[in-house]
Amino acid sequence: MNAALTLRERSEAEASRLPPLLARAEHLAGTVLLGDHGRRRSGMGDDFWQYRPAQIGDSRRMIDHRRSARGDQQYVREREWQIAQSVMLWVDQGASMRFASDKTLPTKADRARLLGLATSILLVRGGERVGLTGTTLPPRRGNAQIIRLAQAWSEDDQTDYAPPEHRAMIPHARAVFISDFLGPMDEVELALTKAADRGVRGVILQVLDPGEETFPYRGRTIFESVGGSVRHETLKAAELRDRYLQRLAHRKDALTQLCRATGWQMGLHHTGDSAQAALLWLYRALDGGTR
C-alpha cells in the first residue's frame, strides 16, 4: 500500500504541472454519460456556459429574466454539454521493463507506471473515466480509482514480455498503451487491430532505456533477460551493434506502420529524458493535438 501511495504522490506531482486533460470524445456510442466537467458545448448539464440572445423556438422557461432586465433584448442562459469519455490503459509490467542500463536511471517499468498514473490523474481531473484494459478494473471516475490503478501497477509480471491486454475493449472508447514493445509483435498487432475493429482510438508510448538505443557494449559481455529465460555470452559485443540497431529500427518502423493502419498515434520516450515531456506528449495526443 505504501508503494502505491508513493507512486501516486509522484504521479500527482507530474500531473499538477498541466491543466486538466480533456480527452476528446469520438464516436461516443455507449460510453456517453453526464460528467463532472463541461465540454464547452451547449446542451445538458448544470454548469453555466454563456448567455445568448433569445431566438425563435426558445421556450419562455429558457429566458434569463435577470440578465434580460439589463437591456431591451431577451437572453437565454445556456449550459454546458457535459459528457465523459472512457479511457483504458495498459502499462507493461513484464520483466523486460525492469531494466536500467545505469543505476542513475529509473527502470522502464518505474517510468511507465509513473506516466500511466499521471495521465490517469489528468483524465480524472478532466471528468473522464479511467481503467485498465481487460476485465479487472473497468473505467470509473474519482480519486478512489487512482488508488486502485496505483495498486494494480505496483505488481510485477514474471514473464519476460507481457502481451498487451485486449479483452473487453469498450466500443468507441480511447486507450493508452505504454511499453518497451520489444516482445512478440503479433500480440501488439492483435491488440491494436481488435481495438480498431471496435472503434477504439488511442496512443502507444514506447519507453526505452538510453542503453537500448546506443548499444554501448564492447568486448566480453553477457546479455541476459531480466526474467532469466534468455542468456547470451560474446567476446566481441561491438560486432553485434549494427545488427541490433537494425532490428530495433525495424521494430520502431513496424510499430509506426501499425499505428497508421489502425488510426493510433505513436510516441517514443527515453528514461533518461524528462518525464514531464512524455506526459505533455500524452496530454496532446489524447486531446487531439499534433503528434
Side-chain angles (χ1 to χ4, degrees):
M1 185 64 178
N2 289 336
L5 288 174
T6 300
L7 175 60
R8 182 192 177 195
E9 290 170 355
R10 292 169 55 203
S11 299
E12 284 184 330
E14 291 289 341
S16 65
R17 303 176 192 175
L18 294 174
L21 173 61
L22 292 176
R24 182 168 296 173
E26 296 180 0
H27 308 294
L28 298 172
T31 66
V32 176
L33 77 165
L34 291 179
D36 291 333
H37 194 103
R39 283 294 187 175
R40 307 308 298 170
R41 289 181 58 184
S42 176
M44 297 182 297
D46 297 324
D47 294 337
F48 169 73
W49 177 28
Q50 67 176 8
Y51 291 113
R52 67 164 174 81
Q55 303 171 354
I56 297 176
D58 291 337
S59 68
R60 296 185 63 84
R61 290 183 300 177
M62 296 174 65
I63 303 297
D64 188 286
H65 297 287
R66 179 175 297 179
R67 174 63 181 85
S68 300
R70 299 177 188 174
D72 297 329
Q73 191 170 11
Q74 291 185 318
Y75 285 87
V76 168
R77 180 187 179 93
E78 288 191 324
R79 296 172 179 175
E80 290 182 318
W81 186 37
Q82 296 185 324
I83 173 177
Q85 169 75 42
S86 288
V87 182
M88 299 168 292
L89 296 98
W90 173 70
V91 174
D92 189 347
Q93 294 170 255
S96 72
M97 295 293 289
R98 299 195 288 277
F99 171 74
S101 61
D102 190 281
K103 63 181 181 180
T104 63
L105 295 171
T107 65
K108 293 182 289 184
D110 180 76
R111 181 56 59 83
R113 292 165 177 171
L114 177 63
L115 291 172
L117 198 59
T119 301
S120 300
I121 291 169
L122 288 173
L123 289 164
V124 166
R125 288 179 180 173
E128 315 297 357
R129 297 182 300 179
V130 297
L132 299 177
T133 55
T135 59
T136 58
L137 190 58
R140 297 187 181 93
R141 292 175 293 170
N143 291 331
Q145 185 74 341
I146 298 299
I147 292 292
R148 298 185 190 103
L149 289 170
Q151 291 173 329
W153 287 330
S154 295
E155 300 174 3
D156 291 327
D157 192 312
Q158 298 309 310
T159 59
D160 275 333
Y161 300 102
E165 175 61 80
H166 52 74
R167 294 175 298 168
M169 283 282 188
I170 301 174
H172 309 296
R174 302 296 300 275
V176 178
F177 285 8
I178 305 177
S179 170
D180 58 12
F181 294 102
L182 297 180
M185 190 64 186
D186 57 344
E187 293 288 349
V188 182
E189 292 176 351
L190 176 62
L192 264 66
T193 301
K194 188 173 181 179
D197 289 343
R198 286 179 162 264
V200 176
R201 300 285 295 279
V203 299
I204 69 172
L205 182 65
Q206 186 178 33
V207 177
L208 295 176
D209 182 275
E212 293 173 323
E213 287 278 27
T214 60
F215 199 83
Y217 309 105
R218 300 287 185 275
R220 180 176 181 274
T221 306
I222 298 176
F223 297 99
E224 185 174 14
S225 64
V226 178
S229 64
V230 178
R231 189 176 188 275
H232 176 72
E233 181 176 353
T234 180
L235 297 177
K236 299 179 180 180
E239 294 183 356
L240 301 176
R241 186 173 187 272
D242 288 344
R243 278 182 292 169
Y244 166 81
L245 293 178
Q246 287 178 359
R247 293 189 65 178
L248 180 61
H250 177 74
R251 173 55 58 92
K252 290 180 181 179
D253 183 65
L255 288 169
T256 299
Q257 296 300 325
L258 177 61
C259 285
R260 287 176 180 171
T262 55
W264 282 44
Q265 293 191 61
M266 177 183 171
L268 174 64
H269 174 65
H270 300 128
T271 55
D273 294 338
S274 165
Q276 179 62 22
L279 182 59
L280 179 59
W281 181 86
L282 285 167
Y283 167 86
R284 290 174 174 169
L286 276 173
D287 203 32
T290 58
R291 301 183 189 187

